[in-house]
Amino acid sequence: MPKKIKLLYVYEERIPIPLRNLVEKQIKNHNFLYKKMTYKLSNSKQKKLFGWADAVFFAPGRFIEDDVIKQGKNNLKIFQLWSSGFEKFNVKGAKKFNVPLANNGSQNSIAVAEMAVLLMMAVNRKLPHFYERTITGNWKNNSHGFDLYEMHGKTLGIIGFGNIGKKVAKICNSFGMKILYYDKVRATRKLEKELDAKFVSKNIIIKKSDILSIHLHLNNKTKKIIDKKSIQKMKKNSILINVSRSQLVDNKALLEALKHNKIRGAGLDVHDKEPTVKNDELNNHPGVVVTPHISGSTYDTYSRVIKSCLENIENTIKNRKNIKWEV
């Protein structure tokens, strides 16, 4: 009888119980021998669990101290994150003790792309504003749509043309938008033709886009990639969409641009401070539509991500194939 894989499931206490139950159900379906812990567990208890496990499933990935990782250096075969981002994880510690680290392989790309487009439309149509008018019956002196905009015929600029960026382009093609994109690696000509997307410089995208959407991982090279100078170059009637990481944008400069009508609006699912605080000036600006970092959070995504991550753990440990999504 094959030996069961010993899996440590690590989660934050804020994760809803139904979601934790879904994780445990799928772990049981894979017939793992498993234990679980939160990040608040004492250092000594964490060490014991890391010394026991063959693999650790982080849902979500947060910082683990070097001395804890060291405890499992002889037995751990893989660290698996359920997120695509890994900036909050101790990547250096994993590399130091030679524990392979994998993310979710963009299994949340459908949900994130759909949310990006939703925010574009919500900003263009001032959805929160008109929702409030409707439920309060306050129709008097509304704009009659004079300050609302269509997607059709507008130029969409995508910075970061990975799985999410490509899906955004595909969706927005159906609106009849002109697609510009920038990435450190150019897509194939075949894909550009399929998505009717044109590769241009970051500078041209910033200047030409009616809607600018960012889809990048956060690292030292991408931090504040949309800085004050970039925002100053944007078209006056343009909007900015950020469903990736807040720190990709200089949000102080963004607020100033909005306050002085240098750009029209923004759709933000990520924030400098999370959870957000009441009366945040940027979040309360009338041209801004905000959501609480839920772009990748759908039942469909969680089901797909958990299944794929557990399969990746299983395949890695049983040596059926190499790690599927290595950071």
Side-chain angles (χ1 to χ4, degrees):
M1 186 174 180
K3 184 180 177 183
K4 286 188 176 183
I5 295 170
K6 293 183 286 186
L7 177 69
L8 177 61
Y9 164 40
V10 184
Y11 63 93
E12 286 187 329
E13 291 180 344
R14 67 179 177 83
I15 300 299
I17 290 175
L19 180 49
R20 286 186 245 162
N21 290 342
L22 179 63
V23 174
E24 292 192 55
K25 180 181 178 181
Q26 292 210 29
I27 288 173
K28 291 173 184 176
N29 288 343
H30 279 78
N31 204 29
F32 290 127
L33 180 64
Y34 80 100
K35 295 182 180 181
K36 55 186 179 177
M37 63 167 253
T38 72
Y39 288 94
K40 291 184 178 180
L41 196 67
S42 68
N43 184 272
S44 60
K45 290 181 179 179
Q46 286 188 23
K47 286 180 179 178
K48 288 181 180 178
L49 289 170
F50 273 65
W52 167 84
D54 296 315
V56 185
F57 179 38
F58 297 93
R62 297 292 182 262
F63 195 86
I64 294 290
E65 297 292 343
D66 277 12
D67 62 337
V68 175
I69 297 174
K70 181 180 179 181
Q71 196 67 30
K73 67 177 183 178
N74 296 322
N75 49 281
L76 287 168
K77 308 296 190 299
I78 181 174
F79 284 157
Q80 177 72 59
L81 310 184
W82 80 357
S83 60
S84 57
F86 44 86
E87 73 280 354
K88 294 181 180 180
F89 193 77
N90 186 359
V91 176
K92 289 182 179 178
K95 289 181 177 178
K96 180 179 179 181
F97 296 106
N98 201 30
V99 182
L101 172 63
N103 65 6
N104 73 12
S106 293
Q107 294 293 316
N108 62 350
S109 60
I110 295 171
V112 177
E114 288 183 356
M115 176 62 92
V117 178
L118 174 64
L119 286 172
M120 294 175 199
M121 299 183 74
V123 175
N124 267 346
R125 297 298 183 97
K126 299 180 71 172
L127 191 60
H129 171 79
F130 283 100
Y131 168 79
E132 183 67 25
R133 278 186 174 273
T134 304
I135 63 172
T136 59
N138 180 26
W139 290 38
K140 187 178 180 181
N141 297 323
N142 76 66
S143 66
H144 292 275
F146 194 70
D147 54 353
L148 307 184
Y149 297 85
E150 299 172 358
M151 303 277 278
H152 180 80
K154 304 301 189 297
T155 297
L156 169 66
I158 300 172
I159 296 181
F161 210 57
N163 289 324
I164 296 169
K166 291 182 180 77
K167 286 182 172 63
V168 170
K170 188 174 182 179
I171 296 170
C172 289
N173 267 329
S174 65
F175 290 108
M177 300 186 76
K178 179 181 178 181
I179 311 295
L180 304 178
Y181 82 93
Y182 170 76
D183 196 283
K184 62 181 181 180
V185 179
R186 183 172 180 173
T188 63
R189 301 299 171 88
K190 180 181 178 182
L191 184 61
E192 287 180 349
K193 186 176 181 180
E194 179 185 328
L195 296 176
D196 195 17
K198 183 179 180 181
F199 178 76
V200 296
S201 69
K202 186 188 91 168
N203 191 50
I204 289 176
I205 279 189
I206 290 168
K207 288 181 176 180
K208 299 285 187 180
S209 297
D210 297 301
I211 301 174
L212 179 63
S213 194
I214 314 163
H215 302 283
L216 297 167
H217 286 301
L218 177 64
N219 54 48
N220 290 333
K221 291 182 179 180
T222 61
K223 187 175 182 180
K224 291 190 178 179
I225 192 169
I226 305 300
D227 57 12
K228 184 176 181 179
K229 288 183 179 179
S230 299
I231 293 169
Q232 287 174 343
K233 293 175 183 176
M234 291 175 67
K235 294 169 71 171
K236 186 173 182 179
N237 205 39
S238 63
I239 66 174
L240 176 69
I241 303 296
N242 188 3
V243 295
S244 297
R245 289 293 185 267
S246 180
Q247 292 78 15
L248 296 170
V249 177
D250 183 340
N251 284 309
K252 288 184 179 178
L254 174 60
L255 176 59
E256 286 303 305
L258 288 163
K259 287 167 68 173
H260 293 95
N261 297 315
K262 299 296 184 182
I263 66 172
R264 177 162 52 89
L268 309 173
D269 183 55
V270 287
H271 313 276
D272 285 343
K273 186 171 184 179
E274 295 182 358
T276 49
V277 294
K278 190 176 181 181
N279 298 325
D280 180 276
E281 196 173 1
L282 178 59
N283 293 344
N284 282 276
H285 188 278
V288 175
V289 177
V290 289
T291 49
H293 205 149
I294 57 168
S295 289
S297 304
T298 66
Y299 179 83
D300 310 85
T301 291
Y302 284 126
S303 299
R304 189 166 54 244
V305 164
I306 296 165
K307 181 175 182 291
S308 296
C309 287
L310 295 180
E311 286 177 353
N312 196 44
I313 292 169
E314 190 172 44
N315 290 338
T316 299
I317 291 179
K318 291 183 177 180
N319 292 318
R320 289 210 291 261
K321 60 179 77 171
N322 292 327
I323 294 173
K324 191 174 181 182
W325 317 292
E326 190 164 4
V327 171

